[in-house]
Amino acid sequence: MKEHVKEIASRVKVLREIEELSAEALAKELGFDPAEYTSWETGEKDFSVGALVEIASRFKVDLSELISGKASKLKTFCVTRSGEAPEVSRRPMYGYWNLAYNFHNKKAEPFLVEASAETEAKPININTHPGQEFNYVLEGRLLISISGHDIELNPGDCVYYNSTEPHGMKALGGKAARFLAIVF
């Protein structure tokens, strides 16, 4: 896992250097804390999915290419079969699978996300990233916190929000929660 994090960090650094931007300038431009951005780019910490979406957008590369090092090719449509979506985040207790990983020049990033049952006992991990986000609960119960507002969602419930606001989520009820997350 750590090697994969360093490979992503290396690709981000190359993109930044091609445009002759300093790490601090890019962090400032994208609204990231410069120290945290530096820890991502050095591979000390893993990028959040939201940060990777913003970086990919900034440099006009597909998220899948940033993560895997392989260019997406499909321009008309792509099909992702059940169980075949690549996992794109390695954060403990959360799984993220990119549902349109091979489509070129996407306008949004759709993910299947699973918050494990263990997240219930932990504080919500709050993050921010530019753009907007849509979450639709498929299974389980999910507590989402958006800018200090805690909202409980059940299967079939959804929320659309400004992802520059501090937000995070965790499973409820002792079971994992699975939801669709679309990042714009």
Side-chain angles (χ1 to χ4, degrees), residues 17 132 134:
E17 288 176 342
Q132 299 173 344
F134 173 78

Side-chain angles (χ1 to χ4, degrees), residues 146-158:
I146 304 168
S147 209
H149 301 279
D150 291 344
I151 307 157
E152 187 175 322
L153 301 173
N154 295 296
D157 293 345
C158 62

Side-chain angles (χ1 to χ4, degrees), residues 90-148:
R90 290 112 351 248
R91 292 192 179 278
M93 296 186 283
Y94 294 90
Y96 290 79
W97 293 269
N98 190 328
L99 299 176
Y101 67 97
N102 209 17
F103 194 84
H104 184 69
N105 202 22
K106 291 182 287 298
K107 305 271 188 240
E109 291 289 346
F111 298 99
L112 173 62
V113 183
E114 182 173 295
S116 75
E118 290 80 31
T119 61
E120 185 170 19
K122 306 280 185 187
I124 292 178
N125 181 19
I126 300 294
N127 68 81
T128 63
H129 53 88
Q132 299 173 344
E133 191 165 330
F134 173 78
N135 300 147
Y136 179 89
V137 178
L138 300 167
E139 300 172 11
R141 292 176 33 229
L142 187 71
L143 178 67
I144 185 164
S145 179
I146 304 168
S147 209

Side-chain angles (χ1 to χ4, degrees), residues 9-29:
S10 176
R11 285 189 281 276
V12 170
K13 183 176 181 181
V14 167
L15 289 169
R16 179 182 58 73
E17 288 176 342
I18 287 170
E19 293 201 14
E20 299 178 353
L21 285 170
S22 69
E24 186 175 337
L26 180 61
K28 184 177 179 182
E29 178 184 330

Side-chain angles (χ1 to χ4, degrees), residues 5-6 21 26 40 53 58 60 65 70 75 77 87 91 93-94 96 101 111 128 130 137 163 167 169-170 174 181:
V5 170
K6 289 187 180 210
L21 285 170
L26 180 61
W40 296 337
V53 168
R58 163 60 178 85
K60 296 179 178 38
E65 188 170 355
K70 298 175 186 170
K75 296 179 181 174
F77 69 91
E87 191 167 4
R91 292 192 179 278
M93 296 186 283
Y94 294 90
Y96 290 79
Y101 67 97
F111 298 99
T128 63
V137 178
S163 51
H167 64 278
M169 60 277 302
K170 66 180 181 176

